[in-house]
Amino acid sequence: MSGPHRVVLHPCHPWGVRDSLAKVPGVEVISPPDLESLTESLEDPRSEILVSFIWTDECLSLGLRWIQSISSGCDSYPWETLAEAGIRLTSGRGANAPAVAEHAFALLLAMTRRVGKSVRYGDRGIWRQAMCHELTGATLGILGLGAVGEEIAWRAKAWGMEVIGTKRHPDSYEGSASEVFGPEGTVEVFRRSDAVINALPFGRGAPPQVGAEELEALGDGWFVNVGRGSTVDTEALLEALDSGELRGAGLDVTYPEPPGEDSPLWTHHKVVLTPHLGGFSPQYADRLAEIFAVNLQAFRGEGEWVNVVV
């Protein structure tokens, strides 16, 4: 096509994304304010590219050829429908990795340094000291040594932690973990760790990878989830917390999300809960624009796609 590529940005998008995309050479960013305007923008035959945080049926149009997801997770997209329509779907995998890694440690430290409990006591005017724990010399298990998992791994190693973990194809791993298992080694990772951070992505149709057996193997350790809530059996997690074995759970994601109004997760004294904000960062938009720019070259037939989902 001649002229700049017309890129339609879904109305629901994080701060800064529009400005960062507009800096990519050769694009014209259209930012409709609502779903009705989004539909009108996509009806324009020049609108071949959509950048979106979530999927809504209004997004599907005859001229659409490529969707760049703003998120690393593409759970909400109709993969089969897109494949049948010949629409490429790519994710924002890696754009939020540094922020999520830092958030994982924030949750872990909130438990090991008793920050979460101290805040709760402080809200009630109670000054209470208790023994805390160091991460130095401890073993950290990481489930999912992908982009986020590796950001966690090298930070943990810099803190003097022993790092082990899981990866779908462990033979291809090159990173900071000293020992890497396939998914079948998940229980062993829990057994050998003082703390486990879950960075597993969403798996369509897959049962929870973290359940009673894994949490029992962790014993009196700490568990953090910055991956996907559906990868953890919530009932098994609550049972492990209530039994007195698990020291604590730091959760940025839950299943369902948010938890139900009567869920014990809201008030459990061993839980540090944040509302899925691990990926929020001013730097996120620029990293996403870098991924988009690489894929734009592929869209033009001048390079290789990255983060392909469909």
Side-chain angles (χ1 to χ4, degrees):
M1 64 173 291
S2 59
H5 291 278
R6 181 182 170 96
V7 178
V8 179
L9 179 61
H10 194 285
C12 179
H13 60 268
W15 176 89
V17 168
R18 186 188 187 285
D19 291 341
S20 294
L21 289 175
K23 297 175 185 177
V24 177
V27 300
E28 175 193 7
V29 179
I30 308 299
S31 185
D34 50 45
L35 290 180
E36 182 178 353
S37 301
L38 172 68
T39 302
E40 294 174 358
S41 297
L42 289 172
E43 287 175 349
D44 189 312
R46 297 172 298 165
S47 299
E48 298 180 312
I49 305 171
L50 170 68
V51 177
S52 182
F53 190 66
I54 57 173
W55 174 262
T56 52
D57 290 339
E58 290 84 357
C59 296
L60 194 61
S61 67
L62 292 176
L64 192 61
R65 294 176 54 202
W66 166 35
I67 301 173
Q68 172 64 61
S69 173
I70 294 174
S71 173
S72 57
C74 295
D75 315 356
S76 67
Y77 292 86
W79 295 358
E80 293 182 2
T81 300
L82 296 179
E84 291 173 359
I87 299 172
R88 174 75 73 184
L89 172 63
T90 55
S91 77
R93 177 182 177 272
N96 65 355
V100 175
E102 291 181 12
H103 196 80
F105 276 103
L107 291 170
L108 181 57
L109 289 165
M111 295 184 290
T112 60
R113 304 307 304 174
R114 299 182 66 88
V115 176
K117 289 187 177 181
S118 295
V119 169
R120 284 175 172 167
Y121 284 134
D123 287 342
R124 294 152 52 195
I126 299 173
W127 180 274
R128 179 173 295 177
Q129 294 178 318
M131 184 59 66
C132 299
H133 300 270
E134 295 183 10
L135 297 183
T136 304
T139 298
L140 177 67
I142 301 172
L143 306 184
L145 282 164
V148 171
E150 186 56 32
E151 289 284 334
I152 295 170
W154 72 255
R155 285 171 170 79
K157 190 173 181 179
W159 278 45
M161 302 184 78
E162 179 73 17
V163 182
I164 61 177
T166 66
K167 187 176 177 63
R168 184 178 301 173
H169 303 292
D171 293 341
S172 65
Y173 179 76
E174 295 181 1
S176 299
S178 60
E179 194 169 0
V180 181
F181 301 81
E184 70 282 354
T186 299
V187 173
E188 179 67 10
V189 169
F190 272 84
R191 186 186 67 79
R192 290 172 50 181
S193 298
D194 298 295
V196 171
I197 297 178
N198 176 29
L200 290 171
F202 173 75
R204 291 208 167 191
Q209 290 99 315
V210 179
E213 183 181 7
E214 289 77 15
L215 294 167
E216 183 179 355
L218 181 58
D220 62 350
W222 295 272
F223 178 71
V224 172
N225 192 5
V226 291
R228 283 292 180 267
S230 59
T231 62
V232 177
D233 183 333
T234 302
E235 292 303 316
L237 176 62
L238 285 168
E239 185 174 341
L241 290 166
D242 291 336
S243 72
E245 296 174 359
L246 192 63
R247 290 180 186 268
L251 309 175
D252 189 47
V253 292
T254 63
Y255 185 79
E257 190 172 303
E261 291 183 5
D262 58 348
S263 172
L265 294 176
W266 291 110
T267 57
H268 202 291
H269 68 285
K270 289 186 177 181
V271 173
V272 178
L273 183 67
T274 55
H276 203 156
L277 48 77
F280 286 22
S281 162
Q283 289 80 18
Y284 180 87
D286 286 342
R287 295 193 192 101
L288 177 72
E290 292 173 4
I291 294 170
F292 175 83
V294 171
N295 281 333
L296 181 63
Q297 291 297 103
F299 183 76
R300 293 168 173 163
E302 300 171 358
E304 298 294 326
W305 293 92
V306 296
N307 294 0
V308 174
V309 179
V310 174

